[in-house]
Structures are given as structure tokens and as C-alpha cells.
Amino acid sequence: MLQIAKYCASGNDFVIFHAFHGADRSGLARTLCDRQNGIGADGLIVLIPHEQHDFEWEFYNADGSTASMCGNGSRACAHYAHRFGLANAQMEFLTGAGVIKAAVEGDMVQSDLTPPIVINDAISEHEMRWWLIDTGVPHLVTFDAGMDHFDIAMARELRHKYNANVNIAYVESNGSIRVRTYERGVEDETLACGTGMAACFYRASIENLVADNARVYPKSGETLYLGLDEGTITFKGEVKGVFETTWRN
């Protein structure tokens, strides 16, 4: 029997539990994340012990594939770790993209993401300008598409061509950003993607479209607070524990 928790962070939902050792849990991820026959989630996060950090995570997409990083997942698992006494309110943990620092204040959680890398800032596809940015995982970002007409077929094509998540973003007159994302592993548009919002914010910052701190709104409509602190992207927002239960493994 597994003791598991369901978490939601800005529209991304996760199944989370902790274990004593690492393992290949790709099949379990597919089962738990199935929205018809399982619990239903965008991903599975498993926390395992680590000698040098508060813990290490295993992150699985809903299709059982692994991902190095997930921004909303980093905030959800930090809340979980603090809630279940696995870490103090200030913590650091190891992901496939590197060490993440996080801070929990009630239901507000901030994580400091791994340093962003601009892989290509001169991509032209479908008469739009795209940047390919790695914020823990690769993201295509454009500001040239209409927010109300997110083309799933186009996003799916680009996702496979560049092996990256696909984001369209819009900077509003007040300096906030709206973002929609097609995610690998889910293979559809999701309500939010933390590393996708970070990639959009980073490009907007480089192009002087926003200040060093900005509100970012994913499709879920929730408010996220992103900032640049000496080259590190800070990512803050509310996290919600949905329920806790047991699962017969």
C-alpha cells in the first residue's frame, strides 16, 4: 500500500509520495496519472533520500517518460516535503536539471530554478519568430501568435521537430505575461507549465519587454510571480494539497 498525495500547483496536478530508494516507476506513473482508470495527474513525483541534500526527486510525465525539471512540480513537492516533515521550510533538493532551492510560506512556495540557457534565438516557423530556451527542460517560445487561437496541430508538430515544449505568450500593457503551453509527456495543452512560464519570462526580460519582476498568468488564470535575481529565475505561487489516500500497488 502506497501513502500518496494529490497536489495542484497553478493548474498542474501531481501525484506525490516518498520512498526509501530509487526505482523505475514509469509503469506506476502511467497507472496513477490515468484520468479514467487511475487518480489522474500531469505527472508523478517520488521523493527519495539523498546524502547531501534534503532529498532527491524522480519525476515522471503522465505517459511514463521522465523529465529533468518541472517548475510547478518543484513547488508542489517542496510543499509536500515540508508538510510531511522531510525538509524544513527552507530546503534544497536534487533534480535531473540540478539542485533546486525552495522556500515554503504557508501555501505560497518559491523555487529558484536552474540557470536558463538560450539555445537558439533565431528560429522561424509558421511565419513566427521562436526562441528555444532551456529552463530545466527545452521550450520553444513565441510572442507572435494570438492567445485565443492556440493551434494544437502546429504545437504538436513543433514539439516533435524540436523535442521541446511549445509556448505562445503575450505581454500586456501593465507588464504582465499570459502564457499557453503544449507539454511533452502530456502531449496536449496543459493549464500551466512552470518552466514554460519561466522561459517566456526570460525571453521577455532579455528583450526588455518586462521588468525584473513580473506577474505571469497561465491558462488556469492563477497568478505566478517570476523574477530575475543575479541570473537566477525565481518562481513563486500558491500550492494546494488536494487530498491524501492509499493506493494498492
Side-chain angles (χ1 to χ4, degrees), residues 41-100:
D42 293 326
L44 168 66
I45 303 173
V46 184
L47 281 57
I48 57 177
H50 194 275
E51 291 183 357
Q52 296 168 316
H53 307 291
D54 289 300
F55 57 89
E56 181 180 357
W57 85 355
E58 297 174 351
F59 186 92
Y60 299 90
N61 294 309
D63 66 355
S65 61
T66 59
S68 298
M69 181 55 189
C70 173
N72 286 320
S74 71
R75 294 188 303 109
C77 82
H79 191 285
Y80 174 96
H82 183 52
R83 161 76 177 79
F84 288 95
L86 304 177
N88 295 324
Q90 304 281 336
M91 70 186 76
E92 64 176 33
F93 56 94
L94 184 62
T95 72
V99 176
I100 298 296

Side-chain angles (χ1 to χ4, degrees), residues 219-232:
K219 187 179 180 182
S220 69
E222 297 186 33
T223 306
L224 281 302
Y225 304 89
L226 280 88
L228 267 177
D229 183 9
E230 298 182 351
T232 296

